[in-house]
Amino acid sequence: MTVSAYGVPQERAPLEHMKIDRRETRPNDVRIDILYCGVCHTDIHFGHDDWGMTEFPLVPGHEIVGRVTETGSDVTRFKEGDLVGVGCLVDSCGHCGSCKDGDEQYCENGAVQTYNSPDPVSGGMTMGGYSTSVTVVEDFVLKVSEKLDTKAVAPLLCAGITSYSPLRHWNVKKGDKVGVIGLGGLGHMGIKLAAAMGAEVVMITRSADKAEDAKRLGADSVLLSGDEKAMAAAAGSFDFLLNTIPVKHDVNPYLTLLKKDATMTIVGSIDGTDELFGGNLVFGRRSLAGSLIGGIAETQEMLDFCAEHGVVPDVEMIDIGDINDAWKRVQSSEVKYRFVIDMQSLKAQAA
Amino acid sequence: MTVSAYGVPQERAPLEHMKIDRRETRPNDVRIDILYCGVCHTDIHFGHDDWGMTEFPLVPGHEIVGRVTETGSDVTRFKEGDLVGVGCLVDSCGHCGSCKDGDEQYCENGAVQTYNSPDPVSGGMTMGGYSTSVTVVEDFVLKVSEKLDTKAVAPLLCAGITSYSPLRHWNVKKGDKVGVIGLGGLGHMGIKLAAAMGAEVVMITRSADKAEDAKRLGADSVLLSGDEKAMAAAAGSFDFLLNTIPVKHDVNPYLTLLKKDATMTIVGSIDGTDELFGGNLVFGRRSLAGSLIGGIAETQEMLDFCAEHGVVPDVEMIDIGDINDAWKRVQSSEVKYRFVIDMQSLKAQAA
């Protein structure tokens, strides 16, 4: 029996905890005792059914770090006691073009999300990491280095890979000028990762008061998007822009910052953009793209990269009892830069 | 002395002709007797000062085919009598990153357009191809094969390269599924060129009555953008989309047609798009890009490709006296698919 924190829809009730039956450990499953789980804005969107697709009760959480407690008979890569991670995906079809490319996040038959996703084997819906344990097929379990601060690793599984994957996909390399737009959970990882890749990192923000923190995180400089003169001076100078703004916004001022053939990639918002001026793409053969988390092999690569370069998110640890306040603070951008739930607190409550 | 057809702004007057002084032939110049000049929608935008940047009197025309009549002392690649072409560009800085890449159209110091562009050497403004002759620096003059129908070659210099360049830049290859959106001057070239590259070409249009013509031009099939069922069935199936729609429009329905990692490139409109739904980019790591004509070397490559594959536009020949009616018919999309002015008619008027 696993104890999970869950949400119910009727009155947007605070999260409570309950005992739920998780599936039995199958031959290719890894059972994980959850140590820490990051709090992602997506959890809140699902908790509040913002996208009209939540099936309650919902156990959120897709930034999971824990230790293996049990392995199925066919599992070869993990053993009891291993430190592991689970991100946004727990399964995919494995045979479509995207899966064959290692891009399971774009599985053409629908990847199985870590929570609120139909479980193709067990039936029912998947349940996430606000929980004492989780059982996941071996291929979707990641190895986590003991070298990093384990508490801080969890947000790498979503915020980390969401920033890392586009930086790699669009070939950010040493010396490239990379702009990170927006300083939240994703943006602060974008700065750290691009800096670790050797890029010249420019934090692009509306808020002058974020400058100091951006530099502490690794940004070489700060460009204020409201400063028209500074924006004009920076026109055509960026090799890549990582756009982490989480709400609908006007992308045009940012597009003008791109060099010829350069790309701005949206990772923060699926809500869209205001009207787009085609000339900003045509003059300079620029691209506006989007990117969703990353594939499993790439997530492992990111975890290894972070271990090698000592990159972890800035986190604020909370107990499960703090979760409803934490969600409110995420919504008002009052977290620097990611909450992580210490799951001992849920175990203690449940005891 | 060169005779040119020109426009004046005051009453959006019809084009008249006048004698204007063209520059003397400098050492690296090629002087060209113009045989044919295509009519591009851009000519009309400049003629009507739609973009607020026209300096009158204006001599439009940037789809020029003619024969060399004189060469400067340093010219090595051309001799009198050669069949040549001039497109949208007549000079660029030659030393910026874009020029060094062979992308003179994106010259960071501002390429010199064939008309209505400050001439950095002679002073004054450049004058285009609605004229009996033009003088252009050797590096911006293209060789035209005698194998093609000379009358029909002119529109390759703008409509042709504008379609060819993105097909090449985004690596369209044999067997790729390519959608060409919109059937006008650009779209009909997109179909012919993509088909000549061996792609499976789908014409995407609102108008069922364009189906027959699209197939005659080389499209394998037609997808009606208003047919929701057909659009849904085609979702995620295209390797590349060439968007030639000349006005502001909603790009979202087209983006959903793209495969993972595929791109839709805007070539027809700098006016922009309606609100863009970011999810259409994020889910599938798709890109929306823009592209402007092509570089000089690439334009030569395109002309050679067309000679090899026997590709020329469908043109309707007109006399210079028909130009004002022709402009009206371009505006109401009543040309299949490009007007070409027989410049003998201007010479006859001027005689």
Side-chain angles (χ1 to χ4, degrees):
Chain A
M1 197 72 87
T2 298
V3 180
S4 306
Y6 73 104
V8 291
Q10 289 78 359
E11 336 96 58
R12 297 205 165 187
L15 288 174
E16 299 291 347
H17 63 268
M18 63 174 177
K19 295 193 174 172
I20 57 166
D21 282 315
R22 296 277 176 144
R23 73 183 185 212
E24 292 303 302
T25 307
R26 292 173 298 193
N28 61 344
D29 273 347
V30 174
R31 188 168 173 90
I32 301 161
D33 175 64
I34 300 178
L35 298 172
Y36 305 107
C37 184
V39 175
C40 176
H41 208 135
T42 301
D43 301 347
I44 303 170
H45 285 304
F46 273 97
H48 293 171
D49 197 15
D50 289 339
W51 296 325
M53 56 169 78
T54 307
E55 287 208 16
F56 293 97
L58 168 83
V59 180
H62 56 206
E63 297 181 338
I64 300 167
V65 170
R67 287 203 186 269
V68 174
T69 55
E70 192 185 340
T71 55
S73 54
D74 293 346
V75 169
T76 58
R77 293 170 49 245
F78 298 98
K79 62 178 192 306
E80 202 183 318
D82 283 354
L83 189 65
V84 295
V86 176
C88 302
L89 305 176
V90 290
D91 212 344
S92 72
C93 83
H95 56 73
C96 73
S98 295
C99 287
K100 283 183 179 164
D101 289 348
D103 292 327
E104 297 87 353
Q105 73 273 35
Y106 305 119
C107 173
E108 290 151 35
N109 296 301
V112 183
Q113 312 292 316
T114 302
Y115 60 82
N116 197 64
S117 196
D119 187 318
V121 181
S122 313
M125 300 294 275
T126 56
M127 298 284 180
Y130 291 17
S131 183
T132 56
S133 83
V134 67
T135 304
V136 177
V137 295
E138 174 179 24
D139 289 348
F140 287 75
V141 178
L142 291 312
K143 291 174 193 286
V144 171
S145 167
E146 304 273 358
K147 279 166 43 181
L148 295 172
D149 178 2
T150 306
K151 289 193 299 297
V153 166
L156 293 178
L157 277 309
C158 173
I161 185 63
T162 297
S163 303
Y164 180 90
S165 178
L167 292 169
R168 283 294 192 219
H169 184 76
W170 278 276
N171 298 313
V172 166
K173 57 190 185 306
K174 194 169 159 63
D176 279 359
K177 185 171 174 183
V178 171
V180 177
I181 307 169
L183 184 52
L186 293 173
H188 102 290
M189 282 312 305
I191 293 175
K192 290 186 181 213
L193 289 165
M197 290 174 189
E200 177 195 345
V201 182
V202 181
M203 175 72 228
I204 304 172
T205 173
R206 283 179 305 181
S207 318
D209 58 8
K210 290 190 176 168
E212 197 179 326
D213 224 24
K215 288 182 181 171
R216 181 184 60 76
L217 294 166
D220 294 283
S221 61
V222 173
L223 174 59
L224 294 177
S225 55
D227 181 343
E228 284 184 24
K229 211 170 151 185
M231 288 288 281
S237 70
F238 283 84
D239 294 287
F240 183 71
L241 291 173
L242 185 72
N243 183 331
T244 76
I245 298 174
V247 293
K248 187 168 180 294
H249 64 283
D250 180 5
V251 294
N252 291 294
Y254 307 115
L255 288 174
T256 66
L257 299 175
L258 293 169
K259 283 185 183 171
K260 173 174 75 76
D261 290 326
T263 297
M264 173 162 80
T265 300
I266 292 173
V267 292
S269 169
I270 58 167
D271 294 336
T273 73
D274 292 339
E275 187 181 325
L276 177 72
F277 176 58
N280 284 331
L281 299 174
V282 169
F283 299 114
R285 197 164 50 195
R286 296 162 173 145
S287 293
L288 176 67
S291 180
L292 179 71
I293 48 176
I296 295 301
E298 195 177 40
T299 305
Q300 187 63 62
E301 177 192 306
M302 177 273 306
L303 287 167
D304 297 345
F305 176 90
C306 289
E308 184 188 341
H309 293 268
V311 174
V312 284
D314 284 20
V315 300
E316 181 176 335
M317 300 302 299
I318 59 168
D319 284 351
I320 192 68
D322 304 323
I323 188 66
N324 295 299
D325 284 341
W327 276 20
K328 285 182 194 139
R329 285 180 54 203
V330 170
Q331 289 180 286
S332 55
S333 303
E334 288 171 52
V335 53
K336 287 185 178 177
Y337 283 92
R338 207 76 166 177
F339 288 117
V340 172
I341 310 165
D342 182 343
M343 219 49 76
Q344 291 302 327
S345 61
L346 180 58
K347 291 171 192 164
Q349 271 203 26
Chain B
M1 199 70 88
T2 297
V3 180
S4 306
Y6 72 105
V8 292
Q10 289 78 359
E11 336 97 58
R12 297 206 165 185
L15 288 174
E16 298 291 348
H17 64 269
M18 61 175 177
K19 292 191 175 175
I20 58 169
D21 282 315
R22 295 281 175 141
R23 72 182 186 216
E24 292 302 302
T25 306
R26 292 173 298 195
N28 62 344
D29 272 348
V30 173
R31 189 168 172 88
I32 300 160
D33 175 63
I34 300 178
L35 298 172
Y36 305 107
C37 184
V39 176
C40 176
H41 208 135
T42 300
D43 301 346
I44 303 169
H45 285 304
F46 273 97
H48 293 173
D49 198 15
D50 288 338
W51 297 324
M53 56 168 79
T54 307
E55 288 209 16
F56 293 97
L58 168 83
V59 180
H62 56 205
E63 297 182 338
I64 299 169
V65 170
R67 286 204 187 269
V68 174
T69 54
E70 191 185 341
T71 55
S73 53
D74 293 347
V75 169
T76 58
R77 292 170 49 245
F78 298 98
K79 61 178 193 306
E80 202 184 318
D82 282 355
L83 189 64
V84 295
V86 176
C88 302
L89 306 175
V90 290
D91 212 344
S92 73
C93 83
H95 55 75
C96 72
S98 294
C99 286
K100 283 183 177 164
D101 289 348
D103 291 328
E104 297 88 355
Q105 73 274 34
Y106 306 118
C107 174
E108 290 152 33
N109 297 301
V112 183
Q113 312 292 318
T114 302
Y115 61 82
N116 197 64
S117 196
D119 187 318
V121 180
S122 312
M125 300 294 275
T126 55
M127 299 284 180
Y130 291 15
S131 184
T132 56
S133 82
V134 68
T135 303
V136 176
V137 295
E138 174 180 23
D139 289 348
F140 287 75
V141 178
L142 291 309
K143 292 175 193 287
V144 171
S145 167
E146 304 274 358
K147 279 168 42 182
L148 294 173
D149 178 3
T150 306
K151 291 192 300 297
V153 167
L156 292 178
L157 276 310
C158 173
I161 186 62
T162 298
S163 303
Y164 179 90
S165 179
L167 291 169
R168 282 293 191 218
H169 184 77
W170 279 276
N171 297 315
V172 166
K173 56 190 187 306
K174 193 170 158 63
D176 279 359
K177 185 172 174 183
V178 171
V180 176
I181 307 169
L183 183 52
L186 293 172
H188 102 290
M189 282 311 305
I191 293 175
K192 290 187 181 211
L193 289 164
M197 291 173 188
E200 177 196 344
V201 183
V202 180
M203 173 74 228
I204 304 172
T205 175
R206 283 179 304 182
S207 318
D209 57 9
K210 291 188 176 168
E212 197 179 327
D213 224 24
K215 287 184 181 170
R216 181 184 60 77
L217 294 165
D220 294 284
S221 61
V222 173
L223 174 59
L224 294 177
S225 56
D227 181 342
E228 285 184 24
K229 209 169 151 187
M231 289 288 280
S237 69
F238 282 85
D239 294 287
F240 184 71
L241 291 173
L242 185 72
N243 183 331
T244 75
I245 298 174
V247 293
K248 187 168 181 292
H249 63 283
D250 180 6
V251 294
N252 291 296
Y254 305 117
L255 289 173
T256 64
L257 299 175
L258 292 169
K259 282 184 182 172
K260 173 173 75 76
D261 290 326
T263 297
M264 174 162 80
T265 300
I266 292 173
V267 293
S269 170
I270 59 167
D271 294 335
T273 72
D274 292 340
E275 186 182 325
L276 177 72
F277 176 57
N280 285 331
L281 299 174
V282 169
F283 300 113
R285 195 162 52 194
R286 297 161 173 147
S287 292
L288 176 66
S291 180
L292 180 71
I293 47 174
I296 295 301
E298 195 178 40
T299 305
Q300 187 63 63
E301 178 191 305
M302 177 274 305
L303 287 168
D304 297 345
F305 176 90
C306 288
E308 184 187 340
H309 293 269
V311 173
V312 283
D314 285 19
V315 299
E316 181 175 335
M317 300 303 298
I318 58 168
D319 284 351
I320 192 66
D322 305 324
I323 188 65
N324 295 299
D325 283 339
W327 277 21
K328 285 181 194 139
R329 284 180 53 202
V330 170
Q331 289 179 285
S332 55
S333 303
E334 289 171 50
V335 52
K336 288 186 175 177
Y337 281 92
R338 208 75 166 177
F339 287 117
V340 172
I341 310 166
D342 182 342
M343 219 49 77
Q344 290 302 327
S345 59
L346 180 58
K347 290 170 194 167
Q349 272 202 24

